[in-house]
mmCIF file of all heavy atoms in Angstrom:
data_model
loop_
_atom_site.group_PDB
_atom_site.id
_atom_site.type_symbol
_atom_site.label_atom_id
_atom_site.label_comp_id
_atom_site.label_asym_id
_atom_site.label_seq_id
_atom_site.Cartn_x
_atom_site.Cartn_y
_atom_site.Cartn_z
ATOM 1 N N GLU A 22 73.681 49.602 41.049
ATOM 2 C CA GLU A 22 75.035 50.161 41.080
ATOM 3 C C GLU A 22 76.069 49.080 40.769
ATOM 4 O O GLU A 22 77.005 49.306 40.000
ATOM 5 C CB GLU A 22 75.355 50.755 42.450
ATOM 6 C CG GLU A 22 74.610 52.020 42.772
ATOM 7 C CD GLU A 22 74.931 52.502 44.169
ATOM 8 O OE1 GLU A 22 74.632 51.772 45.131
ATOM 9 O OE2 GLU A 22 75.502 53.607 44.285
ATOM 10 N N LEU A 23 75.879 47.930 41.367
ATOM 11 C CA LEU A 23 76.798 46.819 41.119
ATOM 12 C C LEU A 23 76.784 46.417 39.647
ATOM 13 O O LEU A 23 77.822 46.172 39.054
ATOM 14 C CB LEU A 23 76.410 45.605 41.961
ATOM 15 C CG LEU A 23 76.750 45.664 43.429
ATOM 16 C CD1 LEU A 23 76.108 44.499 44.160
ATOM 17 C CD2 LEU A 23 78.240 45.635 43.618
ATOM 18 N N GLN A 24 75.608 46.370 39.093
ATOM 19 C CA GLN A 24 75.466 45.964 37.702
ATOM 20 C C GLN A 24 76.193 46.937 36.783
ATOM 21 O O GLN A 24 76.885 46.520 35.856
ATOM 22 C CB GLN A 24 73.985 45.905 37.341
ATOM 23 C CG GLN A 24 73.683 45.121 36.132
ATOM 24 C CD GLN A 24 72.203 44.798 36.062
ATOM 25 O OE1 GLN A 24 71.424 45.181 36.926
ATOM 26 N NE2 GLN A 24 71.817 44.093 35.044
ATOM 27 N N ASN A 25 76.061 48.227 37.039
ATOM 28 C CA ASN A 25 76.733 49.227 36.209
ATOM 29 C C ASN A 25 78.237 49.195 36.377
ATOM 30 O O ASN A 25 78.984 49.288 35.412
ATOM 31 C CB ASN A 25 76.203 50.622 36.526
ATOM 32 C CG ASN A 25 74.788 50.813 36.071
ATOM 33 O OD1 ASN A 25 74.312 50.135 35.168
ATOM 34 N ND2 ASN A 25 74.085 51.728 36.702
ATOM 35 N N MET A 26 78.692 49.083 37.608
ATOM 36 C CA MET A 26 80.125 49.126 37.873
ATOM 37 C C MET A 26 80.837 47.851 37.441
ATOM 38 O O MET A 26 81.983 47.891 37.015
ATOM 39 C CB MET A 26 80.379 49.401 39.349
ATOM 40 C CG MET A 26 79.915 50.784 39.751
ATOM 41 S SD MET A 26 80.177 51.110 41.486
ATOM 42 C CE MET A 26 81.888 51.620 41.438
ATOM 43 N N ALA A 27 80.155 46.718 37.525
ATOM 44 C CA ALA A 27 80.756 45.445 37.128
ATOM 45 C C ALA A 27 80.607 45.202 35.630
ATOM 46 O O ALA A 27 81.193 44.278 35.092
ATOM 47 C CB ALA A 27 80.138 44.296 37.906
ATOM 48 N N LYS A 28 79.795 46.021 34.970
ATOM 49 C CA LYS A 28 79.574 45.926 33.525
ATOM 50 C C LYS A 28 79.083 44.541 33.106
ATOM 51 O O LYS A 28 79.616 43.907 32.224
ATOM 52 C CB LYS A 28 80.842 46.312 32.775
ATOM 53 C CG LYS A 28 81.243 47.750 33.017
ATOM 54 C CD LYS A 28 82.516 48.094 32.303
ATOM 55 C CE LYS A 28 82.925 49.525 32.499
ATOM 56 N NZ LYS A 28 83.102 49.972 33.842
ATOM 57 N N LEU A 29 78.035 44.090 33.788
ATOM 58 C CA LEU A 29 77.418 42.817 33.446
ATOM 59 C C LEU A 29 76.077 43.063 32.766
ATOM 60 O O LEU A 29 75.408 44.047 33.050
ATOM 61 C CB LEU A 29 77.192 41.972 34.703
ATOM 62 C CG LEU A 29 78.441 41.575 35.468
ATOM 63 C CD1 LEU A 29 78.068 40.951 36.786
ATOM 64 C CD2 LEU A 29 79.285 40.619 34.652
ATOM 65 N N SER A 30 75.679 42.164 31.911
ATOM 66 C CA SER A 30 74.409 42.321 31.216
ATOM 67 C C SER A 30 73.247 42.102 32.182
ATOM 68 O O SER A 30 73.307 41.238 33.046
ATOM 69 C CB SER A 30 74.315 41.337 30.055
ATOM 70 O OG SER A 30 74.381 40.027 30.532
ATOM 71 N N PRO A 31 72.144 42.873 32.041
ATOM 72 C CA PRO A 31 71.041 42.774 32.984
ATOM 73 C C PRO A 31 70.267 41.468 32.924
ATOM 74 O O PRO A 31 69.741 41.012 33.913
ATOM 75 C CB PRO A 31 70.138 43.949 32.604
ATOM 76 C CG PRO A 31 70.492 44.301 31.219
ATOM 77 C CD PRO A 31 71.929 43.899 31.029
ATOM 78 N N GLY A 32 70.205 40.822 31.795
ATOM 79 C CA GLY A 32 69.389 39.622 31.669
ATOM 80 C C GLY A 32 70.159 38.314 31.707
ATOM 81 O O GLY A 32 69.597 37.264 31.505
ATOM 82 N N GLY A 33 71.444 38.376 31.982
ATOM 83 C CA GLY A 33 72.269 37.181 31.905
ATOM 84 C C GLY A 33 72.177 36.243 33.087
ATOM 85 O O GLY A 33 72.443 35.067 32.962
ATOM 86 N N GLY A 34 71.825 36.765 34.260
ATOM 87 C CA GLY A 34 71.731 35.933 35.446
ATOM 88 C C GLY A 34 73.045 35.683 36.148
ATOM 89 O O GLY A 34 73.083 35.084 37.213
ATOM 90 N N ARG A 35 74.147 36.134 35.553
ATOM 91 C CA ARG A 35 75.447 35.905 36.179
ATOM 92 C C ARG A 35 75.605 36.687 37.462
ATOM 93 O O ARG A 35 76.171 36.186 38.435
ATOM 94 C CB ARG A 35 76.584 36.253 35.218
ATOM 95 C CG ARG A 35 76.665 35.292 34.039
ATOM 96 C CD ARG A 35 77.780 35.661 33.126
ATOM 97 N NE ARG A 35 77.403 36.935 32.483
ATOM 98 C CZ ARG A 35 78.230 37.709 31.826
ATOM 99 N NH1 ARG A 35 79.496 37.384 31.712
ATOM 100 N NH2 ARG A 35 77.817 38.819 31.265
ATOM 101 N N LEU A 36 75.111 37.915 37.494
ATOM 102 C CA LEU A 36 75.225 38.724 38.702
ATOM 103 C C LEU A 36 74.456 38.073 39.846
ATOM 104 O O LEU A 36 74.968 37.962 40.962
ATOM 105 C CB LEU A 36 74.722 40.146 38.465
ATOM 106 C CG LEU A 36 74.772 41.084 39.669
ATOM 107 C CD1 LEU A 36 76.195 41.243 40.171
ATOM 108 C CD2 LEU A 36 74.179 42.434 39.312
ATOM 109 N N SER A 37 73.251 37.622 39.586
ATOM 110 C CA SER A 37 72.440 36.964 40.616
ATOM 111 C C SER A 37 73.141 35.737 41.170
ATOM 112 O O SER A 37 73.199 35.533 42.384
ATOM 113 C CB SER A 37 71.080 36.552 40.057
ATOM 114 O OG SER A 37 70.339 37.675 39.680
ATOM 115 N N LYS A 38 73.687 34.926 40.292
ATOM 116 C CA LYS A 38 74.376 33.717 40.726
ATOM 117 C C LYS A 38 75.589 34.061 41.579
ATOM 118 O O LYS A 38 75.811 33.473 42.639
ATOM 119 C CB LYS A 38 74.806 32.877 39.531
ATOM 120 C CG LYS A 38 75.506 31.596 39.954
ATOM 121 C CD LYS A 38 76.091 30.863 38.782
ATOM 122 C CE LYS A 38 76.814 29.591 39.161
ATOM 123 N NZ LYS A 38 77.506 29.573 40.411
ATOM 124 N N ARG A 39 76.361 35.023 41.136
ATOM 125 C CA ARG A 39 77.569 35.386 41.879
ATOM 126 C C ARG A 39 77.228 35.997 43.232
ATOM 127 O O ARG A 39 77.879 35.690 44.236
ATOM 128 C CB ARG A 39 78.418 36.331 41.045
ATOM 129 C CG ARG A 39 79.040 35.626 39.862
ATOM 130 C CD ARG A 39 79.811 36.548 38.974
ATOM 131 N NE ARG A 39 80.318 35.796 37.820
ATOM 132 C CZ ARG A 39 80.554 36.320 36.652
ATOM 133 N NH1 ARG A 39 80.356 37.605 36.448
ATOM 134 N NH2 ARG A 39 81.008 35.582 35.667
ATOM 135 N N LEU A 40 76.211 36.844 43.273
ATOM 136 C CA LEU A 40 75.808 37.431 44.550
ATOM 137 C C LEU A 40 75.289 36.349 45.499
ATOM 138 O O LEU A 40 75.620 36.343 46.685
ATOM 139 C CB LEU A 40 74.756 38.516 44.332
ATOM 140 C CG LEU A 40 75.255 39.808 43.681
ATOM 141 C CD1 LEU A 40 74.081 40.713 43.342
ATOM 142 C CD2 LEU A 40 76.255 40.518 44.556
ATOM 143 N N ASN A 41 74.490 35.431 44.990
ATOM 144 C CA ASN A 41 73.987 34.331 45.819
ATOM 145 C C ASN A 41 75.124 33.452 46.336
ATOM 146 O O ASN A 41 75.103 33.020 47.489
ATOM 147 C CB ASN A 41 72.970 33.491 45.061
ATOM 148 C CG ASN A 41 71.645 34.196 44.922
ATOM 149 O OD1 ASN A 41 71.287 35.035 45.728
ATOM 150 N ND2 ASN A 41 70.916 33.862 43.873
ATOM 151 N N ASP A 42 76.123 33.194 45.492
ATOM 152 C CA ASP A 42 77.285 32.408 45.933
ATOM 153 C C ASP A 42 78.014 33.110 47.066
ATOM 154 O O ASP A 42 78.389 32.485 48.059
ATOM 155 C CB ASP A 42 78.254 32.173 44.766
ATOM 156 C CG ASP A 42 77.721 31.212 43.723
ATOM 157 O OD1 ASP A 42 76.739 30.490 44.013
ATOM 158 O OD2 ASP A 42 78.294 31.177 42.613
ATOM 159 N N LEU A 43 78.215 34.420 46.934
ATOM 160 C CA LEU A 43 78.912 35.185 47.972
ATOM 161 C C LEU A 43 78.101 35.251 49.263
ATOM 162 O O LEU A 43 78.671 35.242 50.355
ATOM 163 C CB LEU A 43 79.242 36.589 47.462
ATOM 164 C CG LEU A 43 80.311 36.656 46.365
ATOM 165 C CD1 LEU A 43 80.398 38.068 45.790
ATOM 166 C CD2 LEU A 43 81.665 36.205 46.899
ATOM 167 N N ILE A 44 76.779 35.286 49.150
ATOM 168 C CA ILE A 44 75.920 35.272 50.341
ATOM 169 C C ILE A 44 76.030 33.915 51.039
ATOM 170 O O ILE A 44 76.158 33.839 52.260
ATOM 171 C CB ILE A 44 74.451 35.581 49.964
ATOM 172 C CG1 ILE A 44 74.312 37.047 49.555
ATOM 173 C CG2 ILE A 44 73.516 35.260 51.115
ATOM 174 C CD1 ILE A 44 72.986 37.394 48.912
ATOM 175 N N GLU A 45 75.980 32.841 50.258
ATOM 176 C CA GLU A 45 76.027 31.491 50.819
ATOM 177 C C GLU A 45 77.310 31.213 51.599
ATOM 178 O O GLU A 45 77.276 30.529 52.611
ATOM 179 C CB GLU A 45 75.866 30.447 49.714
ATOM 180 C CG GLU A 45 74.448 30.318 49.213
ATOM 181 C CD GLU A 45 74.304 29.241 48.152
ATOM 182 O OE1 GLU A 45 75.119 28.295 48.137
ATOM 183 O OE2 GLU A 45 73.385 29.358 47.340
ATOM 184 N N VAL A 46 78.430 31.739 51.129
ATOM 185 C CA VAL A 46 79.694 31.482 51.826
ATOM 186 C C VAL A 46 79.961 32.506 52.933
ATOM 187 O O VAL A 46 80.941 32.396 53.649
ATOM 188 C CB VAL A 46 80.892 31.399 50.855
ATOM 189 C CG1 VAL A 46 80.749 30.228 49.921
ATOM 190 C CG2 VAL A 46 81.084 32.688 50.095
ATOM 191 N N GLY A 47 79.084 33.509 53.059
ATOM 192 C CA GLY A 47 79.192 34.444 54.167
ATOM 193 C C GLY A 47 80.086 35.644 53.942
ATOM 194 O O GLY A 47 80.509 36.283 54.900
ATOM 195 N N PHE A 48 80.368 35.990 52.690
ATOM 196 C CA PHE A 48 81.194 37.162 52.405
ATOM 197 C C PHE A 48 80.376 38.451 52.382
ATOM 198 O O PHE A 48 80.870 39.510 52.739
ATOM 199 C CB PHE A 48 81.924 37.012 51.078
ATOM 200 C CG PHE A 48 83.021 35.981 51.084
ATOM 201 C CD1 PHE A 48 83.451 35.420 49.904
ATOM 202 C CD2 PHE A 48 83.620 35.560 52.256
ATOM 203 C CE1 PHE A 48 84.456 34.473 49.885
ATOM 204 C CE2 PHE A 48 84.625 34.618 52.262
ATOM 205 C CZ PHE A 48 85.044 34.069 51.068
ATOM 206 N N ILE A 49 79.137 38.355 51.912
ATOM 207 C CA ILE A 49 78.267 39.527 51.829
ATOM 208 C C ILE A 49 76.899 39.174 52.395
ATOM 209 O O ILE A 49 76.592 37.999 52.609
ATOM 210 C CB ILE A 49 78.119 40.056 50.375
ATOM 211 C CG1 ILE A 49 77.410 39.033 49.484
ATOM 212 C CG2 ILE A 49 79.462 40.466 49.796
ATOM 213 C CD1 ILE A 49 77.048 39.557 48.103
ATOM 214 N N GLU A 50 76.086 40.219 52.622
ATOM 215 C CA GLU A 50 74.698 39.988 53.006
ATOM 216 C C GLU A 50 73.801 40.913 52.197
ATOM 217 O O GLU A 50 74.210 41.983 51.772
ATOM 218 C CB GLU A 50 74.476 40.196 54.498
ATOM 219 C CG GLU A 50 74.534 41.619 54.967
ATOM 220 C CD GLU A 50 74.221 41.742 56.454
ATOM 221 O OE1 GLU A 50 73.853 40.752 57.084
ATOM 222 O OE2 GLU A 50 74.345 42.856 56.962
ATOM 223 N N GLU A 51 72.584 40.453 51.985
ATOM 224 C CA GLU A 51 71.572 41.228 51.276
ATOM 225 C C GLU A 51 70.630 41.809 52.320
ATOM 226 O O GLU A 51 70.254 41.139 53.273
ATOM 227 C CB GLU A 51 70.797 40.317 50.334
ATOM 228 C CG GLU A 51 69.698 41.011 49.572
ATOM 229 C CD GLU A 51 68.926 40.038 48.684
ATOM 230 O OE1 GLU A 51 69.165 38.819 48.743
ATOM 231 O OE2 GLU A 51 68.077 40.516 47.950
ATOM 232 N N TYR A 52 70.262 43.075 52.149
ATOM 233 C CA TYR A 52 69.357 43.711 53.102
ATOM 234 C C TYR A 52 68.597 44.840 52.430
ATOM 235 O O TYR A 52 68.953 45.274 51.340
ATOM 236 C CB TYR A 52 70.130 44.228 54.320
ATOM 237 C CG TYR A 52 70.980 45.442 54.034
ATOM 238 C CD1 TYR A 52 70.558 46.715 54.417
ATOM 239 C CD2 TYR A 52 72.195 45.339 53.372
ATOM 240 C CE1 TYR A 52 71.323 47.833 54.145
ATOM 241 C CE2 TYR A 52 72.966 46.444 53.100
ATOM 242 C CZ TYR A 52 72.524 47.690 53.491
ATOM 243 O OH TYR A 52 73.282 48.794 53.212
ATOM 244 N N VAL A 53 67.547 45.289 53.089
ATOM 245 C CA VAL A 53 66.782 46.456 52.662
ATOM 246 C C VAL A 53 66.918 47.483 53.786
ATOM 247 O O VAL A 53 66.556 47.193 54.921
ATOM 248 C CB VAL A 53 65.293 46.114 52.425
ATOM 249 C CG1 VAL A 53 64.506 47.356 52.057
ATOM 250 C CG2 VAL A 53 65.152 45.060 51.346
ATOM 251 N N PRO A 54 67.477 48.674 53.512
ATOM 252 C CA PRO A 54 67.635 49.686 54.560
ATOM 253 C C PRO A 54 66.296 50.051 55.186
ATOM 254 O O PRO A 54 65.259 50.030 54.528
ATOM 255 C CB PRO A 54 68.229 50.882 53.823
ATOM 256 C CG PRO A 54 68.841 50.311 52.594
ATOM 257 C CD PRO A 54 68.006 49.117 52.234
ATOM 258 N N TRP A 55 66.320 50.409 56.452
ATOM 259 C CA TRP A 55 65.084 50.685 57.185
ATOM 260 C C TRP A 55 64.315 51.873 56.608
ATOM 261 O O TRP A 55 63.110 51.934 56.732
ATOM 262 C CB TRP A 55 65.375 50.927 58.665
ATOM 263 C CG TRP A 55 66.161 52.178 58.917
ATOM 264 C CD1 TRP A 55 67.514 52.307 58.947
ATOM 265 C CD2 TRP A 55 65.637 53.483 59.150
ATOM 266 N NE1 TRP A 55 67.872 53.603 59.183
ATOM 267 C CE2 TRP A 55 66.728 54.361 59.316
ATOM 268 C CE3 TRP A 55 64.350 54.011 59.236
ATOM 269 C CZ2 TRP A 55 66.580 55.717 59.563
ATOM 270 C CZ3 TRP A 55 64.214 55.380 59.482
ATOM 271 C CH2 TRP A 55 65.311 56.204 59.638
ATOM 272 N N ASP A 56 64.990 52.814 55.951
ATOM 273 C CA ASP A 56 64.302 53.980 55.405
ATOM 274 C C ASP A 56 63.799 53.776 53.978
ATOM 275 O O ASP A 56 63.281 54.689 53.370
ATOM 276 C CB ASP A 56 65.206 55.205 55.481
ATOM 277 C CG ASP A 56 66.492 55.039 54.692
ATOM 278 O OD1 ASP A 56 66.883 53.892 54.419
ATOM 279 O OD2 ASP A 56 67.125 56.058 54.367
ATOM 280 N N ARG A 57 63.934 52.567 53.462
ATOM 281 C CA ARG A 57 63.455 52.258 52.110
ATOM 282 C C ARG A 57 62.517 51.061 52.191
ATOM 283 O O ARG A 57 62.715 50.148 52.969
ATOM 284 C CB ARG A 57 64.619 51.937 51.191
ATOM 285 C CG ARG A 57 65.629 53.055 51.135
ATOM 286 C CD ARG A 57 66.566 52.844 49.988
ATOM 287 N NE ARG A 57 67.743 53.662 50.069
ATOM 288 C CZ ARG A 57 67.797 54.927 49.717
ATOM 289 N NH1 ARG A 57 66.739 55.532 49.264
ATOM 290 N NH2 ARG A 57 68.920 55.607 49.821
ATOM 291 N N SER A 58 61.513 51.074 51.357
ATOM 292 C CA SER A 58 60.546 49.982 51.403
ATOM 293 C C SER A 58 60.920 48.829 50.477
ATOM 294 O O SER A 58 60.395 47.736 50.603
ATOM 295 C CB SER A 58 59.159 50.498 51.040
ATOM 296 O OG SER A 58 59.170 51.014 49.723
ATOM 297 N N ARG A 59 61.822 49.077 49.548
ATOM 298 C CA ARG A 59 62.212 48.008 48.631
ATOM 299 C C ARG A 59 63.582 48.308 48.041
ATOM 300 O O ARG A 59 64.139 49.379 48.215
ATOM 301 C CB ARG A 59 61.193 47.844 47.525
ATOM 302 C CG ARG A 59 61.007 49.109 46.705
ATOM 303 C CD ARG A 59 59.995 48.899 45.647
ATOM 304 N NE ARG A 59 60.406 49.717 44.500
ATOM 305 C CZ ARG A 59 59.664 50.026 43.507
ATOM 306 N NH1 ARG A 59 58.448 49.570 43.445
ATOM 307 N NH2 ARG A 59 60.109 50.752 42.511
ATOM 308 N N GLY A 60 64.099 47.358 47.328
ATOM 309 C CA GLY A 60 65.408 47.498 46.740
ATOM 310 C C GLY A 60 66.431 46.672 47.477
ATOM 311 O O GLY A 60 66.466 46.658 48.692
ATOM 312 N N GLU A 61 67.231 45.964 46.734
ATOM 313 C CA GLU A 61 68.231 45.095 47.329
ATOM 314 C C GLU A 61 69.547 45.842 47.475
ATOM 315 O O GLU A 61 70.023 46.459 46.535
ATOM 316 C CB GLU A 61 68.446 43.865 46.456
ATOM 317 C CG GLU A 61 67.195 43.077 46.206
ATOM 318 C CD GLU A 61 67.310 42.206 44.972
ATOM 319 O OE1 GLU A 61 68.050 42.571 44.055
ATOM 320 O OE2 GLU A 61 66.661 41.163 44.940
ATOM 321 N N TYR A 62 70.116 45.777 48.657
ATOM 322 C CA TYR A 62 71.443 46.324 48.914
ATOM 323 C C TYR A 62 72.332 45.168 49.356
ATOM 324 O O TYR A 62 71.868 44.205 49.958
ATOM 325 C CB TYR A 62 71.394 47.371 50.033
ATOM 326 C CG TYR A 62 70.921 48.721 49.584
ATOM 327 C CD1 TYR A 62 69.597 48.937 49.233
ATOM 328 C CD2 TYR A 62 71.785 49.789 49.516
ATOM 329 C CE1 TYR A 62 69.152 50.181 48.841
ATOM 330 C CE2 TYR A 62 71.354 51.039 49.113
ATOM 331 C CZ TYR A 62 70.036 51.235 48.774
ATOM 332 O OH TYR A 62 69.601 52.458 48.365
ATOM 333 N N TYR A 63 73.608 45.299 49.076
ATOM 334 C CA TYR A 63 74.574 44.276 49.462
ATOM 335 C C TYR A 63 75.734 44.948 50.156
ATOM 336 O O TYR A 63 76.190 46.013 49.746
ATOM 337 C CB TYR A 63 75.079 43.523 48.222
ATOM 338 C CG TYR A 63 73.968 42.811 47.497
ATOM 339 C CD1 TYR A 63 73.271 43.442 46.477
ATOM 340 C CD2 TYR A 63 73.612 41.528 47.839
ATOM 341 C CE1 TYR A 63 72.238 42.801 45.819
ATOM 342 C CE2 TYR A 63 72.574 40.868 47.188
ATOM 343 C CZ TYR A 63 71.909 41.512 46.178
ATOM 344 O OH TYR A 63 70.872 40.888 45.544
ATOM 345 N N LYS A 64 76.227 44.308 51.250
ATOM 346 C CA LYS A 64 77.396 44.842 51.935
ATOM 347 C C LYS A 64 78.248 43.688 52.434
ATOM 348 O O LYS A 64 77.775 42.560 52.611
ATOM 349 C CB LYS A 64 76.994 45.751 53.080
ATOM 350 C CG LYS A 64 76.307 45.077 54.234
ATOM 351 C CD LYS A 64 76.011 46.083 55.324
ATOM 352 C CE LYS A 64 75.343 45.419 56.501
ATOM 353 N NZ LYS A 64 75.094 46.355 57.589
ATOM 354 N N LEU A 65 79.510 44.005 52.670
ATOM 355 C CA LEU A 65 80.434 43.016 53.206
ATOM 356 C C LEU A 65 80.134 42.748 54.660
ATOM 357 O O LEU A 65 79.711 43.648 55.387
ATOM 358 C CB LEU A 65 81.876 43.516 53.079
ATOM 359 C CG LEU A 65 82.435 43.661 51.668
ATOM 360 C CD1 LEU A 65 83.838 44.236 51.725
ATOM 361 C CD2 LEU A 65 82.443 42.331 50.956
ATOM 362 N N ILE A 66 80.354 41.517 55.093
ATOM 363 C CA ILE A 66 80.184 41.198 56.511
ATOM 364 C C ILE A 66 81.431 40.522 57.042
ATOM 365 O O ILE A 66 82.262 40.089 56.316
ATOM 366 C CB ILE A 66 78.946 40.329 56.775
ATOM 367 C CG1 ILE A 66 78.933 39.101 55.867
ATOM 368 C CG2 ILE A 66 77.701 41.122 56.535
ATOM 369 C CD1 ILE A 66 77.815 38.143 56.197
#
């Protein structure tokens, strides 16, 4: 969803870097909902 809404290319790696940067500084967190076995979700903290 983030990739589509932010209009970033799938193979560029920019989204991964930006998400990791935001996780490192504590703005967002990555999680897998309890009712799903896989898939990355991100939310503000």
Side-chain angles (χ1 to χ4, degrees):
E22 289 177 298
L23 285 171
Q24 198 164 1
N25 291 336
M26 294 179 83
K28 297 178 179 57
L29 298 171
S30 61
R35 292 180 291 166
L36 179 60
S37 296
K38 181 188 179 326
R39 290 176 183 152
L40 289 172
N41 286 333
D42 289 345
L43 291 171
I44 290 169
E45 285 182 26
V46 296
F48 290 158
I49 65 172
E50 71 177 354
E51 179 182 6
Y52 72 102
V53 177
W55 67 271
D56 60 339
R57 303 194 195 280
S58 61
R59 59 180 213 195
E61 303 159 331
Y62 280 71
Y63 299 91
K64 67 178 181 178
L65 293 177
I66 51 174

